[in-house]
């Protein structure tokens, strides 16, 4: 029953948003929502951590978690790699590749910081 109710609520929300968009001349774009609350909205990587209302970036800067997720949803609308109909596993693979690329760039810029990141990536089994 709750699944039907949840689906119904999403449909009502979508319809309401579309009516508002039509009235204001705006456009509604649906996006793949997976990992939007777990991605760092500044770097686009999985190097942060959400704890309740806070999202702590890998460099220690704390963002408001809902704001961070909203920025990720906004960015997802123009993301060329993550499409609306990708599975959660496919989204995760894209994000892990982005995180690895970010860490490689960071290594080139700051080898000391890379040592910490290397240990983190080993935990994800991205680094041999």
């Amino acid at each position: 029953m709750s699944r039907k109710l949840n689906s119904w609520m999403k449909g009502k929300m979508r319809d309401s948003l579309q009516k508002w968009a039509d009235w204001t001349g705006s456009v509604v774009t649906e996006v793949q929502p997976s990992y939007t609350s777990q991605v760092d909205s500044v770097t686009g990587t999985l190097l942060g951590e959400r704890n309740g209302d806070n999202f702590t970036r890998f460099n220690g800067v704390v963002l408001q978690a809902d704001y961070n997720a909203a920025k990720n949803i906004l960015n997802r609308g123009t993301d060329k790699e993550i499409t609306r109909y990708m599975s959660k596993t496919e989204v995760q693979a894209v994000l892990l590749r982005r995180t690895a690329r970010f860490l490689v760039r960071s290594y080139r810029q700051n080898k000391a910081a890379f040592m910490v990141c290397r240990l983190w990536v080993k935990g994800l089994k991205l680094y041999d």
Side-chain angles (χ1 to χ4, degrees):
M1 181 65 164
S2 68
R3 185 177 288 166
K4 286 183 181 181
L5 182 61
N6 188 22
S7 180
W8 177 80
M9 285 300 296
K10 284 181 184 178
K12 293 297 270 182
M13 176 67 82
R14 186 181 305 115
D15 292 346
S16 295
L17 281 172
Q18 189 60 55
K19 284 180 186 177
W20 182 260
D22 292 343
W23 186 67
T24 61
S26 301
V27 176
V28 175
T29 303
E30 291 187 42
V31 298
Q32 210 315 343
S34 297
Y35 295 96
T36 52
S37 65
Q38 298 169 38
V39 171
D40 183 336
S41 62
V42 177
T43 62
T45 64
L46 292 168
L47 292 177
E49 182 178 354
R50 182 177 181 153
N51 290 314
D53 286 342
N54 294 325
F55 182 87
T56 306
R57 298 185 59 221
F58 77 101
N59 61 0
V61 174
V62 178
L63 304 174
Q64 203 286 331
D66 291 335
Y67 174 79
N68 182 65
K71 292 286 286 183
N72 285 325
I73 291 169
L74 180 64
N75 294 338
R76 192 67 59 88
T78 58
D79 194 321
K80 302 294 184 205
E81 289 183 287
I82 299 176
T83 64
R84 168 73 179 105
Y85 299 103
M86 288 178 100
S87 70
K88 185 175 182 175
T89 306
E90 291 171 318
V91 172
Q92 181 186 40
V94 169
L95 294 173
L96 289 172
R97 283 193 303 271
R98 286 181 185 171
T99 302
R101 284 193 307 259
F102 177 82
L103 292 174
V104 168
R105 283 193 310 270
S106 295
Y107 170 70
R108 290 180 183 143
Q109 295 170 2
N110 184 351
K111 291 183 181 180
F114 178 74
M115 296 311 291
V116 173
C117 294
R118 181 177 176 200
L119 294 173
W120 184 85
V121 173
K122 264 191 168 179
L124 291 177
K125 303 194 183 344
L126 288 175
Y127 193 93
D128 292 325

